[in-house]
């Protein structure tokens, strides 16, 4: 906006800035005429043209106007200088109004026509003039008639001075009353062109009214209500589950926050659709997490089967020990195979348990990864919504400051204008009073001062004309000021309402963002606890795998050792039978056939035992390969243990030492040097292995894994 033009507008006392600016441009460019609403420029017109056209359509029977001749109206014609201060877009100015009103008069003095208030369109805005404005025009005509009478009275003063003195005083009084009535009328029903668009330009505002909240806007809170229903559904679907207790507090807190946000949005003009979408991802993941089975639920069947197999294993071990104690070697061998089979089943269950735990861990890792993405996305959306409303609030506050500043400036100009008008009216009243006093003096000197009276009357009439013009300008100015105040107040209310709505939106979004963040933090804590529990269970399962593998491997090793010794015993029997067969064949002894059959039977038995031994070795190798997973996990966790293969070697050394000792005792060669040296070597190896086992036992005293003890209590079976 041009500040110089605005300053000139305020100083000039004009009532419409747009028309004042357009008039100034016309004066500077020398272009005459006014611009129509469609943008085209029309030739210069006055109120005379409009009312002449109206006069042509009026009936000739109207007799409301006062007759006037051409000379009377010519005295009211203003100079070009005085008319330049009027608005350029006004279709009928004051002079044109009087001239146009004269055009409505009939040719004959007895026929007077007055424009009908319901049909005359004076071009001020797009509405018909009010009755008060028509009365204003009639009062102007009456003032002119008064002036004519005054001139006639002065012209015939010499002849009828005393007869018309009373009429002159009466006419002057009537003129004064008319002037007072004219200046006292205010309800002209003028229309201002000032609107919000002009306010945006004048105050240089940034926000358009369509960007602001309006009192007639209805809040949208149904999505928040739906979110409360969704949260209630999650609560109803999962409140009977054990895991629900972990999320009960955050779900109850979320319900209260959603209810409060819905209440605040309901009492505002906000659209709660965007903020209602913030907890979507939280509700989705809450439902997934609460619907997923825990690791203990997944392992329930496996644990039951594992407990059953462990019970069967204890029974088989007790039966094997009883058979060995009773000397029932065949039954003991059968129980050895039973123990091995149960160990294999237990190892399969342990491997299945590990696979289940790994699956649940991967699912929790996926939940945690998705949770991080959802939480980050929800936080970004909440920050975006808050920043958007805070920016709108800041812009509203900035515009409100500008509106109040403009209002203060316009109020100051209005006060100055009112003050100036009051001073001017006071000066005019003083001049009129002085004029009346001078006329009273002149009455005593009327004969000598007739010309002075005519001059003073002319000055008085010109002052009346100026006062009429000032009244016209004052009414337009007051109308523009009232319209400006109305527009400013309405726009300020919209800005203030928008600020309150922005505060409500920021508060509601903060509530929901805090709830969403708390929910995701609770989810993170739950998933971290789940991961820790699963890691502990995973580690305990690996230790359980070690225990079961140890039992299986030692049992397989013990049974394989017995099978190996059985093969050696059979080999010696085969060798003995072969020697007996050769000796009998040397003497053609018929018993050679018996020794041959015995040797064949021994060879068959040896093949069967060897097959059993190979089967045991394959089972041991398979169990060893399966144990590689748990072995790697235990080593990575820093868990110290003696590998069952090392323990098996120590067990074999111990058994071998005992067998050598038993053999020496049975032969009576305990002091024999070779046997003694062999015993000492075996015992040294056995003691070294035992020290390693004891070291590991001390480090595992606090764990759930039982202490490793090498050897078997049933060495007497050998």
């Amino acid at each position: 906006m041009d500040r110089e033009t605005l300053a000139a507008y305020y100083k000039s006392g004009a009532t419409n800035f747009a028309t004042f600016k357009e008039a100034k441009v016309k004066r500077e460019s020398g272009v005459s005429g006014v611009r129509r609403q469609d943008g085209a420029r029309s030739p210069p017109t006055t109120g005379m043209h409009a009312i002449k056209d109206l006069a042509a359509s009026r009936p000739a029977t109207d007799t409301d106007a006062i007759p006037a001749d051409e000379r009377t109206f010519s005295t009211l014609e203003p100079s070009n200088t005085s008319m330049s201060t009027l608005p350029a877009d006004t279709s009928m100015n004051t002079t044109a109004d009087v001239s146009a009103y004269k055009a409505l008069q009939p040719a004959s003095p007895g026929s007077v026509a007055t424009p009908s208030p319901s049909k005359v369109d004076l071009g001020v805005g797009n509405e018909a003039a009010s009755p008060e404005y028509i009365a204003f025009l009639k009062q102007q005509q009456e003032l002119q008639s008064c002036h004519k009478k005054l001139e006639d009275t002065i012209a015939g003063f010499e002849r009828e001075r005393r007869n018309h003195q009373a009429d002159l005083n009466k006419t002057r009084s009537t003129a004064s009353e008319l002037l007072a009535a004219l200046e006292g009328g205010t309800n002209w029903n003028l229309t201002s062109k000032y609107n919000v668009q002009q306010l945006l330009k004048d105050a240089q505002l940034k926000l358009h009214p369509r960007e602001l909240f309006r009192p007639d806007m209805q809040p949208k809170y149904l999505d928040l209500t739906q979110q409360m229903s969704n949260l209630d559904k999650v609560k109803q679907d999962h409140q009977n589950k054990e895991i629900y207790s972990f999320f009960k507090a955050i779900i109850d807190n979320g319900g209260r926050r959603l209810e409060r946000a819905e209440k605040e949005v309901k009492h505002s003009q906000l659209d709660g659709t965007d903020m209602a979408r913030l907890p979507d991802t939280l509700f989705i993941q809450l439902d997934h997490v609460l619907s997923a089975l825990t690791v203990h639920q997944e392992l329930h069947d496996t644990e039951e089967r594992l407990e059953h197999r462990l019970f069967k294993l204890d029974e088989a071990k007790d039966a094997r020990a009883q058979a060995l104690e009773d000397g029932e070697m065949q039954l003991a061998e059968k129980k050895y195979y039973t123990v091995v089979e149960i160990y294999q089943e237990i190892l399969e269950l342990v491997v299945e348990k590990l696979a289940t735990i790994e699956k649940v861990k991967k699912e929790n890792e996926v939940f945690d990864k998705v949770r991080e993405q959802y939480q980050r996305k929800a936080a970004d959306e909440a920050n975006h919504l808050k920043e958007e409303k805070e920016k709108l609030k800041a812009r509203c506050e900035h515009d409100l400051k500008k509106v109040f500043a403009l209002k203060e400036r316009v109020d100051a100009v209005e006060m100055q204008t009112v003050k100036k008008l009051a001073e001017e009216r006071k000066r005019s009243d003083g001049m009129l009073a002085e004029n009346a006093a001078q006329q009273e003096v002149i009455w005593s000197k009327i004969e000598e001062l007739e010309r002075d009276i005519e001059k003073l009357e002319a000055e008085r009439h010109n002052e009346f004309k100026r006062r009429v013009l000032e009244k016209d300008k004052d009414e337009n100015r007051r109308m523009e000021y009232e319209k400006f105040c109305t527009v400013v107040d309405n726009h300020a209310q919209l800005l203030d309402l928008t600020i309150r709505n922005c505060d409500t939106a920021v508060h509601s979004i903060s509530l929901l963002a805090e709830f969403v963040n708390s929910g995701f933090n609770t989810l993170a804590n739950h998933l971290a606890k789940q991961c820790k529990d699963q890691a502990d269970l995973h580690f305990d399962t690996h230790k359980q795998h070690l225990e079961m593998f140890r039992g299986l491997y030692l049992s397989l090793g013990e049974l394989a050792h017995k099978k190996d010794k059985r093969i050696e015993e059979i080999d010696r029997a085969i060798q003995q039978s072969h020697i007996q067969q050769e000796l009998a064949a040397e003497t053609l002894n018929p018993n050679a056939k018996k020794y041959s059959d015995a040797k064949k039977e021994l060879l068959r038995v040896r093949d069967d035992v060897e097959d059993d031994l190979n089967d045991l070795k394959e089972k041991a190798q398979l169990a060893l390969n399966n144990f590689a997973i748990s072995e790697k996990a235990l080593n990575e966790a820093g868990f110290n243990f003696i590998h069952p293969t090392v323990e098996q070697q120590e067990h074999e050394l111990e058994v071998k030492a005992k067998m050598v000792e038993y053999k020496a005792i049975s032969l009576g060669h305990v002091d024999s040097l070779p046997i003694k040296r062999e015993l000492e070597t075996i015992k040294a190896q056995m003691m070294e292995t035992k020290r390693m086992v004891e070291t590991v036992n001390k480090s595992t005293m606090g764990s759930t894994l039982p202490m490793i003890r090498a050897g078997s209590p049933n060495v007497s079976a050998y």
Side-chain angles (χ1 to χ4, degrees), residues 70-107:
E70 194 66 26
R71 181 182 60 81
T72 302
F73 281 95
S74 65
T75 59
L76 284 176
E77 291 296 332
S79 63
N80 293 334
T81 303
S82 62
M83 291 302 294
S84 63
T85 61
L86 295 178
D89 64 341
T90 304
S91 300
M92 179 182 290
N93 53 35
T94 305
T95 304
D97 292 342
V98 178
S99 301
Y101 200 103
K102 179 177 71 69
L104 295 177
Q105 308 304 319

Side-chain angles (χ1 to χ4, degrees), residues 287-322:
D287 186 64
H288 288 172
V289 171
L290 292 173
S291 300
L293 295 176
T294 63
V295 65
H296 298 289
Q297 292 173 338
E298 292 279 358
L299 296 176
H300 182 265
D301 294 339
T302 305
E303 291 290 350
E304 288 185 351
R305 289 186 291 165
L306 193 59
E307 289 179 3
H308 180 69
R309 294 298 187 277
L310 290 173
F311 178 74
K312 292 292 186 182
L313 178 63
D314 293 337
E315 288 183 345
K317 285 184 177 181
D318 293 341
R320 182 186 65 180
Q322 186 64 38

Side-chain angles (χ1 to χ4, degrees), residues 597-657:
D597 293 338
K599 185 176 70 172
K600 291 179 181 178
E601 179 64 22
L602 289 172
L603 288 172
R604 185 188 63 77
V605 173
R606 185 187 187 282
D607 291 339
D608 292 340
V609 174
E610 189 173 6
D611 290 339
D612 292 341
L613 178 61
N614 291 333
D615 186 50
L616 292 174
K617 290 181 178 180
E618 290 178 357
K619 291 180 179 179
Q621 185 61 40
L622 179 60
L624 182 62
N625 293 337
N626 291 334
F627 180 67
I629 299 174
S630 295
E631 181 183 3
K632 180 180 179 182
L634 291 173
N635 288 330
E636 291 177 352
F639 181 76
N640 295 325
F641 66 95
I642 295 297
H643 201 284
T645 56
V646 177
E647 186 178 0
Q648 176 62 25
Q649 292 174 3
E650 190 270 340
H651 174 66
E652 289 182 0
L653 290 175
E654 184 178 357
V655 172
K656 186 183 292 186

Side-chain angles (χ1 to χ4, degrees), residues 520-533:
F520 279 117
N521 289 334
T522 305
L523 274 176
N525 295 334
H526 170 69
L527 293 175
K529 182 178 178 298
Q530 289 288 93
C531 290
K532 184 179 182 302
D533 294 342

Side-chain angles (χ1 to χ4, degrees), residues 3 77 115 146 185 242 281 287 375 385 517 562-563 662:
R3 295 184 179 274
E77 291 296 332
C146 290
E242 181 181 356
T281 54
D287 186 64
Q375 186 173 9
L385 292 176
N517 191 43
K562 293 181 182 297
K563 292 290 184 181
Y662 290 159

